Amino acid sequence: MKKILVVDDLAEVRELVEKTLARDDRVVLKADNGESAVEIARREKPDLIMMDVMMPGPVDGLQATRMIKQDPDTKNCTVIMLTAKDAEADRVAGFEAGADDYFTKPFSPLELMRKVDAVFD
Amino acid sequence: MGETGQRAAAETTDRVMLYAEPIFWAVVPLLMVPRGQQEVQTIAGFTVMMYAVVTATLDAPSDEHGSYGTVIVLAALGAGYLIAGTGVLVPVGALAGFTAVAILVGERIRRLVPIRHTAARDPRAAFDSAHDITDSLPTTPFEPPRSQQDDVSDPPSDEAIDTIPWQRVLDTVPAPLAVFLNREWLWGNQAFDRMTGYPESELAGKDASMLFDNPRDFDRLMTLDPKDFANQGCLLVRAKLRTKRRSAEEALLAVGTAKEHAARITFIFVLFGLVEQERVDQLVRDLPTTISHELRTPLTSVLGYSELLLARPDMPQSERNECLEIIHNQARELSEIVSAVLDVARVDAGEKLVLKIEPVVIGTLIDSVTGSLAPRFPNVRFVVDNPHKDDVIHADRRRIRDLFHNLLDNAAKYSHRTGEIRLKCTRQPDAFLFSIEDDGIGLHPDQAQRVFEKFYRVDASNTGIPGMGIGLTVSRYIIEAHGGSIGIDSETGKGTSVWLTIPDKPSHHPSAGGGVEKNSGS
């Protein structure tokens, strides 16, 4: 069973990613802010995290990614940023925070599906 | 502090010189009297002449009247020595010397008296008088404090000013202000720093002309005599200013100037121009990013869910409907954003909002709004207290729906997407009063005052809550166009309450902000 954690403050987007990635052999967990994302990541040690950047609260997606990638317990999980921020500098910031890949919104569910299949296979 | 100490020392030297100089010069002409001292007298003559030349070169540009007087007196004194040095016309030389010294002493005494007079001994009185100045400066022409109205050329002494936390006071003034000592930049308030974009280290001690597009503009300001505009208190001038980020921009300046001893202190307030322009520039720079982010969010759902529907024809019907509902809601959101941007642009361009007034059943309106928001905020409870479900308001259906949608969406977003949002409807004699309350993060009073301003966002960088900062602006335009009013009550950490009224007969109360279809042919 592969575990996927979807982090986004918008319920519609969380659901869209869940619908896109859900399969019988996968469990999809959800978080609506950076803090609980880090907490769930530590507890559940997911294989993949889909991470939004701009979220309310003290910890945004970049910080959460940094925290996850710095923690020896969670640093091996793949983090894919999924954000509306599409400037060159935003991408660089994402990769600097430790992201393994960067997807911008709006995104194609089919493309994301293939990408994630490739990560797991 | 080192700087204050240095200034105090400089001031003491200045004062000692002010008293000692006349006494010194009163003694020296006596040297002209004895015969047989020609060499000494000639050397003294040349020295004083040199001093006159140096004074004329260094001081005159910053202190025309005082220094020119001093130069003439010194020249006369030097001439006296030189004449005495010939050994022939000693009495003539001595007379010239004495006359010159008498003038010098007279001038010094005249300048001493008002300084003593204004050196306030009571720090509290000094503070009060200074506070009046700062309060009146940004909005009204500069009025010198009462004790100095008779003689504008003598500002309060440094001693009096030093007792005032004037930098702190002036930092709170929203208009940019800079103070110059002679030609040198001395201090600027925070608004000035923001406007110019220069860090203090880049300005300190620099020649003020660097802030002007034409460096000679500042030279012109320096030739102004405070007496010339004593009646207005300050002079309004237009000049092109230069900042770190921007090329020349015309600005309206209020210039006040005062002289103390040989120094000229110049105050420049930027009343209009760069300030507003700078804010607009920032908005224009950010606008593509802001708008694209705002549009991308609903677009993500519209495109994503529709692609999913197309890719999975085998999806169960109930799930398909769920997707379609989300697509519909998000497309509607997109349309709301576009309408809001257009409405704000129209009102800004001086157009009226043309309302399409029709009867709207209150209960249906509210159900439709809360219904579309509920899936978006699964952890928020929308509590509606509406005894007037079946009553009808006369309003622009689409705009009023957008308005409630926006206000409830705001309430949920600024409540960490959890908790309770209370919507209440009450009857007033000729209107319905609606209120929307949340227990969210709330606002400071100064933030609450500004939320209806266009593009104003509450700590956008800290809250991480997306938005363009036009939701409440457009709400106000819409409500005013209906002839109603809107307001906000809020407390930090406690929550926010937005209230609004929709009059029964909106067409009879068209306000400045808008009009209705029936009576607005323009």
Side-chain angles (χ1 to χ4, degrees):
Chain A
M1 243 354 185
K2 296 283 187 193
K3 272 186 196 166
I4 301 173
L5 170 60
V6 180
V7 189
D8 202 300
D9 57 326
L10 298 176
E12 308 92 43
V13 180
R14 285 199 299 274
E15 216 137 293
L16 176 62
V17 178
E18 183 186 11
K19 280 188 198 299
T20 304
L21 301 181
R23 264 176 26 186
D24 292 342
D25 58 345
R26 293 175 187 164
V27 184
V28 179
L29 311 162
K30 287 179 274 187
D32 63 0
N33 65 71
E35 260 178 321
S36 56
V38 175
E39 188 197 310
I40 295 172
R42 280 181 186 149
R43 197 177 59 225
E44 302 285 339
K45 304 198 178 47
D47 303 280
L48 169 71
I49 301 176
M50 297 300 306
M51 182 76 83
D52 184 23
V53 172
M54 280 176 70
M55 288 180 289
V59 180
D60 69 8
L62 291 177
Q63 276 168 287
T65 305
R66 232 170 273 132
M67 288 159 82
I68 287 165
K69 287 292 186 177
Q70 276 164 8
D71 187 331
D73 282 353
T74 52
K75 69 173 185 191
N76 287 330
C77 72
T78 305
V79 177
I80 299 179
M81 307 304 273
L82 181 57
T83 167
K85 292 169 87 88
D86 71 338
E88 184 83 27
D90 297 323
R91 287 173 173 274
V92 172
F95 286 116
E96 272 173 4
D100 297 283
D101 211 334
Y102 199 98
F103 261 68
T104 51
K105 294 176 189 172
F107 64 95
S108 155
L110 293 182
E111 199 186 330
L112 183 65
M113 220 182 275
R114 306 267 143 72
K115 181 88 217 167
V116 172
D117 288 349
V119 169
F120 284 148
D121 292 341
Chain B
M1 307 262 270
E3 217 180 274
T4 325
Q6 269 177 20
R7 269 177 65 187
E11 202 200 334
T12 314
T13 318
D14 236 24
R15 287 182 164 270
V16 170
M17 283 301 287
L18 216 53
Y19 289 97
E21 236 188 315
I23 298 168
F24 174 71
W25 292 116
V27 176
V28 282
L30 298 176
L31 286 172
M32 295 174 193
V33 181
R35 287 173 185 275
Q37 299 285 328
Q38 282 95 333
E39 295 92 330
V40 178
Q41 286 160 348
T42 309
I43 292 168
F46 276 116
T47 314
V48 174
M49 283 299 225
M50 289 277 287
Y51 187 26
V53 172
V54 170
T55 309
T57 320
L58 293 183
D59 284 357
S62 63
D63 187 12
E64 312 85 15
H65 294 269
S67 287
Y68 287 138
T70 312
V71 169
I72 293 163
V73 170
L74 286 171
L77 187 64
Y81 275 123
L82 289 175
I83 296 164
T86 61
V88 184
L89 296 166
V90 175
V92 177
L95 188 67
F98 275 119
T99 314
V101 168
I103 296 169
L104 193 69
V105 171
E107 197 229 356
R108 287 288 191 257
I109 289 170
R110 190 188 67 75
R111 288 172 64 185
L112 269 177
V113 174
I115 288 170
R116 265 209 197 126
H117 196 69
T118 56
R121 298 281 173 240
D122 176 5
R124 182 67 220 172
F127 180 87
D128 287 344
S129 96
H131 207 81
D132 284 344
I133 308 175
T134 54
D135 278 348
S136 60
L137 274 172
T139 47
T140 55
F142 172 70
E143 297 270 358
R146 247 168 271 114
S147 60
Q148 286 152 58
Q149 261 166 359
D150 323 72
D151 190 354
V152 189
S153 65
D154 291 304
S157 70
D158 283 356
E159 191 186 291
I161 288 179
D162 276 347
T163 62
I164 302 160
W166 58 282
Q167 297 192 343
R168 226 170 55 220
V169 173
L170 291 171
D171 265 338
T172 65
V173 175
L177 160 74
V179 184
F180 301 88
L181 182 65
N182 295 331
R183 300 186 59 93
E184 266 179 30
W185 185 89
L186 192 66
W187 183 78
N189 67 358
Q190 283 176 8
F192 188 83
D193 294 353
R194 273 199 302 277
M195 181 198 79
T196 61
Y198 287 112
E200 206 178 309
S201 55
E202 264 188 73
L203 282 172
K206 290 280 162 58
D207 194 288
S209 58
M210 73 180 282
L211 294 166
F212 289 79
D213 185 46
N214 180 356
R216 300 207 52 157
D217 284 352
F218 189 73
D219 298 357
R220 285 189 201 107
L221 286 183
M222 293 307 284
T223 60
L224 295 171
D225 190 328
K227 290 196 178 79
D228 292 344
F229 51 90
N231 293 336
Q232 299 100 298
C234 73
L235 193 71
L236 292 179
V237 290
R238 274 180 304 163
K240 281 190 171 176
L241 293 187
R242 235 177 5 191
T243 69
K244 193 176 174 75
R245 289 185 295 274
R246 303 154 55 78
S247 50
E249 279 296 341
E250 188 140 56
L252 179 65
L253 310 178
V255 182
T257 184
K259 285 193 258 177
E260 183 167 80
H261 312 178
R264 170 189 275 250
I265 298 163
T266 306
F267 305 86
I268 296 183
F269 261 103
V270 183
L271 293 183
F272 185 77
L274 295 170
V275 205
E276 187 56 22
Q277 197 57 41
E278 199 62 42
R279 200 170 84 95
V280 172
D281 271 11
Q282 182 66 39
L283 291 171
V284 170
R285 271 198 297 276
D286 293 348
L287 207 55
T289 321
T290 320
I291 289 189
S292 78
H293 186 267
E294 284 308 290
L295 296 178
R296 258 162 218 267
T297 306
L299 267 176
T300 302
S301 294
V302 172
L303 291 172
Y305 281 100
S306 54
E307 193 178 311
L308 220 51
L309 282 177
L310 291 170
R312 289 192 191 155
D314 56 330
M315 196 188 274
Q317 191 58 43
S318 62
E319 210 180 325
R320 291 185 80 78
N321 288 346
E322 231 174 80
C323 292
L324 284 168
E325 199 178 327
I326 293 175
I327 292 172
H328 180 77
N329 281 338
Q330 295 297 304
R332 186 174 226 163
E333 186 123 331
L334 276 173
S335 131
E336 273 175 34
I337 295 171
V338 174
S339 306
V341 170
L342 284 177
D343 277 353
V344 169
R346 280 192 194 115
V347 173
D348 280 0
E351 282 177 44
K352 283 185 168 186
L353 292 186
V354 179
L355 303 180
K356 198 175 155 204
I357 298 292
E358 56 187 316
V360 179
V361 180
I362 298 174
T364 318
L365 168 78
I366 290 170
D367 287 349
S368 130
V369 176
T370 51
S372 74
L373 283 167
R376 185 157 199 201
F377 300 104
N379 301 325
V380 172
R381 222 156 62 85
F382 294 97
V383 180
V384 180
D385 173 8
N386 177 19
H388 306 283
K389 278 191 182 69
D390 300 324
D391 285 350
V392 164
I393 49 168
H394 295 272
D396 185 314
R397 185 192 299 273
R398 180 187 60 75
R399 284 193 170 95
I400 286 292
R401 191 197 174 280
D402 287 359
L403 176 140
F404 276 104
H405 186 270
N406 175 50
L407 293 178
L408 287 168
D409 184 73
N410 261 352
K413 280 199 293 195
Y414 289 96
S415 311
H416 307 296
R417 297 172 180 271
T418 66
E420 199 177 270
I421 311 287
R422 295 171 294 280
L423 194 157
K424 203 168 158 185
C425 172
T426 42
R427 184 75 187 125
Q428 288 194 325
D430 52 0
F432 281 101
L433 170 71
F434 295 87
S435 70
I436 293 158
E437 274 177 46
D438 66 60
D439 308 313
I441 59 176
L443 300 162
H444 293 295
D446 51 328
Q447 292 173 326
Q449 249 180 22
R450 299 192 57 197
V451 288
F452 291 103
E453 277 176 32
K454 195 173 34 164
F455 296 124
Y456 179 76
R457 303 217 44 228
V458 177
D459 293 338
S461 52
N462 298 334
T463 57
I465 295 166
M468 282 192 291
I470 59 168
L472 284 173
T473 314
V474 80
S475 300
R476 182 170 61 99
Y477 291 165
I478 291 171
I479 287 298
E480 284 176 357
H482 281 84
S485 50
I486 184 167
I488 194 162
D489 301 307
S490 188
E491 201 178 328
T492 316
K494 292 267 171 68
T496 302
S497 162
V498 177
W499 57 264
L500 60 94
T501 59
I502 300 174
D504 296 341
K505 291 174 182 167
S507 57
H508 291 177
H509 306 274
S511 78
V516 293
E517 203 166 52
K518 276 178 260 173
N519 60 3
S520 70
S522 53

